[in-house]
Amino acid sequence: GAAFERPPLVPSITAKGGASVGWSEGQSAFLWNPAGEISTHASFLTAYSRPYGVDDLDEGILSYSHTVANSGCLGLNWQRLRTTGYYEDRRAVAISYGNQIARAGVRLDRLGIGIDGFGNRSAFGVSVGGLWKATEGLQLGLAVDALNRPRIPHPLPRGFALGVGLRVSPGLLLVMDVRKESDVKAQILAGGELPVGHHFVLRAGMHNQPWEVTAGW
């Protein structure tokens, strides 16, 4: 799968099994659900990975989000996977707006690939999302990725995701997503996080397709 066909490598999300569509809040939340918001005035995140443990294969992400007009959020992101003579990247800008009950958002992605000696190619993708705070502590979310199925060079699969987030207590958060792409079996992702003190958070989760267990702190 191309870099822009896989979930971005944001540690706080991947540790929870990748589930976040229904409780889309925090650093880079807009990459899973364009309706996402941040809990602070501004947020910056960077991460690095060597996917699959392969030498000379590197992936990194830079992300910044900021509140806009009190109830809005603006997100910017650059993600790149690179190896010798080849790269894939995604540059994204998203904006969301809403109130204490509902939010909506849209994200525009510029997807690019490049091969030394053969040039490069890019395409624009559009994703949309929504959040509904059904009750205090319960959120439902919907996201549609690659709505226009950009060709790079072949059409990317359109993805649908439904999610739910439940704040069981002031500290314990549980999240679950169900995701479906064209010609691919539905994927279930679930996880949670529990703060321990003021500066330490435990996270764990799982997902199928393939089956994996995740954890982080």
Side-chain angles (χ1 to χ4, degrees), residues 34-37 68-73 95-105 130-131 133:
E37 59 182 330
V68 178
N70 295 324
S71 298
C73 179
I95 188 165
S96 67
Y97 198 80
N99 53 32
Q100 296 297 319
I101 298 177
R103 298 183 62 86
L131 280 173
K133 299 180 182 180

Side-chain angles (χ1 to χ4, degrees), residues 38-117:
I38 58 176
S39 55
T40 59
H41 183 64
S43 180
F44 175 77
L45 178 140
T46 182
Y48 169 82
S49 175
R50 177 162 288 179
Y52 316 114
V54 177
D55 290 340
D56 198 34
L57 184 63
D58 303 282
E59 188 170 12
I61 185 172
L62 293 171
S63 179
Y64 178 77
S65 51
H66 198 285
T67 56
V68 178
N70 295 324
S71 298
C73 179
L74 173 69
L76 304 171
N77 178 78
W78 179 40
Q79 175 188 359
R80 170 168 286 203
L81 183 144
R82 181 203 63 83
T83 189
T84 302
Y86 180 79
Y87 75 86
E88 303 170 354
D89 70 1
R90 172 168 64 174
R91 302 176 189 184
V93 57
I95 188 165
S96 67
Y97 198 80
N99 53 32
Q100 296 297 319
I101 298 177
R103 298 183 62 86
V106 60
R107 188 182 71 242
L108 179 64
D109 298 311
R110 182 185 182 274
L111 312 171
I113 59 174
I115 306 174
D116 286 356

Side-chain angles (χ1 to χ4, degrees), residues 4 6 16 28 38 56-57 59 75 77 105 117 131 144 153 164 178 191 196-197 208 210:
F4 35 76
R6 294 183 284 107
K16 292 182 288 188
S28 305
I38 58 176
D56 198 34
L57 184 63
E59 188 170 12
N77 178 78
L131 280 173
V144 183
V164 59
V178 178
V196 180
N208 64 350

Side-chain angles (χ1 to χ4, degrees), residues 124-184:
F124 287 94
V126 179
S127 300
V128 296
L131 280 173
W132 176 44
K133 299 180 182 180
T135 63
E136 185 67 29
L138 175 63
Q139 285 190 177
L140 304 175
L142 167 68
V144 183
D145 291 323
L147 184 63
N148 60 326
R149 299 200 66 188
R151 301 178 64 90
I152 183 168
H154 305 293
L156 292 182
R158 185 181 295 118
F160 299 88
L162 291 171
V164 59
L166 178 63
R167 181 72 71 179
V168 179
S169 67
L172 180 60
L173 171 66
L174 301 177
V175 290
M176 185 180 73
D177 293 350
V178 178
R179 303 182 185 179
K180 181 70 172 69
E181 290 185 354
S182 306
D183 303 322
V184 178

